Amino acid sequence: MTAQDLSTIRGALLGEIAGASDLAGLERARVAALGKKGRLTELMKGLGQVAAEERKSRGAELNALKGEIEAALNAQKAKLEDADLDARLRTERVDITLPARPEAEGRLHPISQTIDEIVAIFGAMGFKVAEGPDIEDDFHNFTALNIPEDHPARQMMDTFYLPERPDGSRLVLRTHTSPVQIRTMMSQKPPIRIIVPGRTYRCDSDMTHTPMFHQVEGLVIDKTSHMGHLKGCLADFCRAFFEVPDVPIRFRPSFFPFVEPGAEMDIGCSRKGGELKIGAGDDWLEILGCGMVHPKVLQYCNLNPAEYQGFAFGMGIERVAMLKYGIPDLRTFYEADLRWLRHYGFPALEVATLVRGLVPQ
Ligand code: PHE
């Protein structure tokens, strides 16, 4: 084969590539040149038969031609793709006058919102959030809280018991968030300042009770905190949470086995014409139980009552959410009705609502 022949083949192959008018035609040109039986492939296979003194220069020529053809294939491919895109851009249209599709936006459940607010307010006072399991044992839910064997709270009627275990004991769905007091005192050294928002369970279902509800527990343990601190702390919380600067509160003596003295806290409200108003009028509404942690509870947690003391409180979250946001029926919280959620729910990530009611620092 002469140099002339090679130049003719080169012209033919490059011509075919340049003449391809679509990607399928270009592929045919590629196969004709570089495919298994392509012209150039055949020539390379034939190199063995070429006289030894010519073989080196012929090999170099064929390699150069191969490079040239590959470059031409790439260039033509880019050209065809560009043309394709241009054609599409010329024919396709975006109608920018169409109105945007509305974005579906979820809502925060009032319980989540209320927990966020409570955490923000106590967080600003230096409380940390603690958690515990929903399934508790008898020791943490009852015994270590100084709840005696014959206390009504232990009865089958009020508490959800799990099936008996091999050793005869039965776990419970925690009936309050107070077991987290025990877990915290047994695992951390004072000073302790925690709040515990979480689910609680009682075998109860009517207008004002659901079998699952939420509480937030508070616990402060150190060497000096006393009843005055308890009152001040809860009064500040109520002002911030209900966003009423001088919301009236009162403490009534009450009994819980794990505090001494114990109290219930009410907030002032009015109930005129079926409408509930916080911070006005002469009616009272109970929102939480509280007191000074009982020395026996400290002892159960291996804390010396002669050295350590502190206070605890437990508040119903549904209760304060209903009060603050005017939600009349407790049962609707857990019916998962989207219309209800749209009405009573909150936009996500609206941090402003968390900060609005905060106690001045
Ligand atoms: N655990 C009590 C309840 O569920 C509330 C409480 C907590 C009372 C802490 C006193 C101290 O009713």
Side-chain angles (χ1 to χ4, degrees), residues 106-128:
R107 301 248 127 190
L108 279 187
H109 194 283
I111 290 296
S112 307
Q113 168 79 14
T114 304
I115 290 177
D116 286 351
E117 293 176 15
I118 294 173
V119 167
I121 294 167
F122 282 111
M125 296 187 206
F127 285 74
K128 295 250 180 322

Side-chain angles (χ1 to χ4, degrees), residues 232-311:
C233 172
L234 291 176
D236 276 353
F237 166 76
C238 286
R239 288 184 197 116
F241 181 77
F242 291 110
E243 298 173 48
V244 179
D246 47 3
V247 58
I249 56 172
R250 79 174 177 192
F251 289 80
R252 277 177 295 106
S254 184
F255 176 76
F256 302 93
F258 35 93
V259 288
E260 180 58 36
E264 276 167 334
M265 191 181 93
D266 303 335
I267 53 172
C269 61
S270 84
R271 278 181 251 218
K272 271 197 207 103
E275 204 196 341
L276 190 75
K277 254 205 165 133
I278 304 293
D282 42 21
D283 235 336
W284 296 96
L285 221 131
E286 179 203 326
I287 61 163
L288 60 83
C290 58
M292 298 303 294
V293 176
H294 198 290
K296 278 202 180 157
V297 173
L298 294 170
Q299 273 166 349
Y300 270 117
C301 299
N302 303 314
L303 292 174
N304 179 2
E307 195 181 349
Y308 292 111
Q309 62 185 40
F311 61 83

Side-chain angles (χ1 to χ4, degrees), residues 61-341:
E61 278 168 4
L62 291 179
N63 270 333
L65 180 54
K66 189 176 178 208
E68 208 182 340
I69 286 182
E70 281 169 347
L73 281 167
N74 285 337
Q76 184 68 6
K77 185 164 178 238
K79 202 171 132 194
L80 289 175
E81 281 171 350
D82 274 357
D84 201 44
L85 184 62
D86 281 345
R88 271 183 28 222
L89 288 178
R90 250 178 279 115
T91 54
E92 286 177 10
R93 287 272 179 286
V94 175
D95 184 352
I96 56 166
T97 67
L98 275 179
R101 267 181 224 161
E103 250 177 56
E105 194 188 74
R107 301 248 127 190
L108 279 187
H109 194 283
I111 290 296
S112 307
Q113 168 79 14
T114 304
I115 290 177
D116 286 351
E117 293 176 15
I118 294 173
V119 167
I121 294 167
F122 282 111
M125 296 187 206
F127 285 74
K128 295 250 180 322
V129 172
E131 286 183 318
D134 286 20
I135 298 176
E136 266 298 0
D137 54 34
D138 189 270
F139 175 79
H140 292 93
N141 196 79
F142 296 123
T143 308
L145 287 163
N146 193 35
I147 300 180
E149 284 298 335
D150 55 0
H151 195 274
R154 285 193 182 227
Q155 269 155 34
M156 309 293 273
M157 279 173 50
D158 299 308
T159 305
F160 288 112
Y161 281 90
L162 272 68
E164 232 173 68
R165 292 192 291 180
D167 66 359
S169 69
R170 300 180 81 173
L171 296 174
V172 301
L173 295 186
R174 66 178 178 192
T175 57
H176 48 183
T177 40
S178 303
V180 188
Q181 287 189 34
I182 305 300
R183 291 185 178 276
T184 307
M185 283 188 275
M186 294 186 84
S187 64
Q188 287 176 29
K189 281 232 136 308
I192 291 171
R193 227 179 248 178
I194 53 151
I195 52 162
V196 186
R199 277 192 266 273
T200 50
Y201 306 84
R202 282 179 209 173
C203 205
D204 231 347
S205 188
D206 58 37
M207 272 279 283
T208 51
H209 297 89
T210 48
M212 187 280 300
F213 60 103
H214 295 76
Q215 288 190 335
V216 59
E217 192 83 7
L219 176 71
V220 171
I221 300 288
D222 52 31
K223 296 185 174 175
T224 53
S225 284
H226 53 64
M227 198 85 185
H229 296 121
L230 164 62
K231 289 178 74 174
C233 172
L234 291 176
D236 276 353
F237 166 76
C238 286
R239 288 184 197 116
F241 181 77
F242 291 110
E243 298 173 48
V244 179
D246 47 3
V247 58
I249 56 172
R250 79 174 177 192
F251 289 80
R252 277 177 295 106
S254 184
F255 176 76
F256 302 93
F258 35 93
V259 288
E260 180 58 36
E264 276 167 334
M265 191 181 93
D266 303 335
I267 53 172
C269 61
S270 84
R271 278 181 251 218
K272 271 197 207 103
E275 204 196 341
L276 190 75
K277 254 205 165 133
I278 304 293
D282 42 21
D283 235 336
W284 296 96
L285 221 131
E286 179 203 326
I287 61 163
L288 60 83
C290 58
M292 298 303 294
V293 176
H294 198 290
K296 278 202 180 157
V297 173
L298 294 170
Q299 273 166 349
Y300 270 117
C301 299
N302 303 314
L303 292 174
N304 179 2
E307 195 181 349
Y308 292 111
Q309 62 185 40
F311 61 83
F313 56 88
M315 180 166 65
I317 296 181
E318 281 80 356
R319 172 57 77 90
V320 293
M322 287 166 78
L323 285 176
K324 179 167 178 179
Y325 294 114
I327 305 173
D329 188 343
L330 173 67
R331 288 170 300 185
T332 56
F333 275 76
Y334 304 113
E335 282 170 358
D337 182 334
L338 272 182
R339 292 165 305 176
W340 185 91
L341 262 177

